[in-house]
Amino acid sequence: MKNSDKSLPLDAFDLIYGIGNVGREDDGLGWAFIDAIEAEKLSDAQLVRHYQLFFEDVDLIRRHQRVLFVDATKADTSRRFAMERVAPRLDDSFTSHAISVQSIVAMCHQCYGVYPDIWLLTIKGYSWELSEGLTKKAQANLYAALNAVQFTGVEETDTRPALERVNSALAENGQQTLTRISR
């Protein structure tokens, strides 16, 4: 991982991965983000859309230096979107439907000894019914996230330093902690 106090331009990512289901209203926010990036030609990164994360994504992300995952969130928060650098963390999910981005990053490190710089952009959604299209509030959040990423860049919205979060996750998994984050 690369530690940086500066925001990262969208062009700094070589893979942008939208997670979601366009057939379940606001669950399609990850794909809508990718659609907008593609339509506006905002990045030359590889763009991927999937309904969920797969174990095979470990192999995919190990081949990239910096990855941005984009997903909808149901989190009860006042934020319209949040950006964070992802710390590796194995969880106890038993099906591929429940694999977290943090677990994919942890498996990448365990299987390949590689630490790509992974970021997660979550965009707040409101409705998850079987219907296509985003709600108006979710669409507004999507535009806010797109504007922030395009004009400000990708930067942590969490105040906890990235190294502290990574070391906490490594210690939880019984792994050696880092003295610095680098690529």
Side-chain angles (χ1 to χ4, degrees):
M1 292 183 176
K2 184 175 180 178
N3 191 13
S4 174
D5 293 333
K6 297 179 182 179
S7 63
L8 300 167
L10 201 54
D11 284 342
F13 294 87
D14 55 347
L15 173 64
I16 304 174
Y17 190 120
I19 306 165
N21 183 344
V22 295
R24 294 192 63 92
E25 290 184 296
D26 296 347
D27 194 27
L29 280 162
W31 286 29
F33 186 90
I34 298 296
D35 291 344
I37 296 293
E38 204 168 50
E40 298 296 320
K41 297 178 176 46
L42 298 177
S43 175
D44 291 329
Q46 178 182 351
L47 303 176
V48 173
R49 295 171 189 84
H50 281 294
Y51 288 102
Q52 62 196 26
L53 293 171
F54 301 97
F55 292 115
E56 293 82 357
D57 292 325
V58 174
D59 185 55
L60 174 66
I61 69 166
R62 79 173 176 104
R63 300 171 191 279
H64 294 275
Q65 291 183 6
R66 186 170 283 136
V67 180
L68 176 63
F69 285 94
V70 185
D71 198 3
T73 184
K74 294 180 181 181
D76 186 22
T77 176
S78 60
R79 289 186 185 160
R80 299 169 84 179
F81 62 90
M83 292 181 252
E84 66 177 309
R85 181 173 267 132
V86 176
R89 185 185 77 238
L90 289 174
D91 56 34
D92 58 358
S93 45
F94 293 99
T95 67
S96 62
H97 186 70
I99 297 175
S100 67
V101 173
Q102 293 82 356
S103 285
I104 294 291
V105 175
M107 286 186 279
C108 184
H109 176 66
Q110 281 189 332
C111 295
Y112 298 105
V114 175
Y115 265 120
D117 190 17
I118 308 290
W119 288 77
L120 176 61
L121 167 61
T122 52
I123 305 171
K124 186 173 181 165
Y126 302 90
S127 183
W128 314 93
E129 299 301 318
L130 287 172
S131 180
E132 288 189 10
L134 302 175
T135 61
K136 288 183 181 186
K137 290 182 357 181
Q139 195 163 20
N141 293 348
L142 170 65
Y143 293 140
L146 281 163
N147 283 331
V149 167
Q150 184 177 2
F151 298 111
T152 307
V154 176
E155 59 189 355
E156 296 238 34
T157 52
D158 185 358
T159 56
R160 204 165 112 188
L163 181 60
E164 179 184 323
R165 289 187 301 110
V166 168
N167 276 334
S168 174
L170 289 171
E172 283 178 20
N173 292 314
Q175 297 174 325
Q176 183 178 357
T177 58
L178 304 173
T179 55
R180 65 186 174 91
I181 299 175
S182 62
R183 203 170 354 146

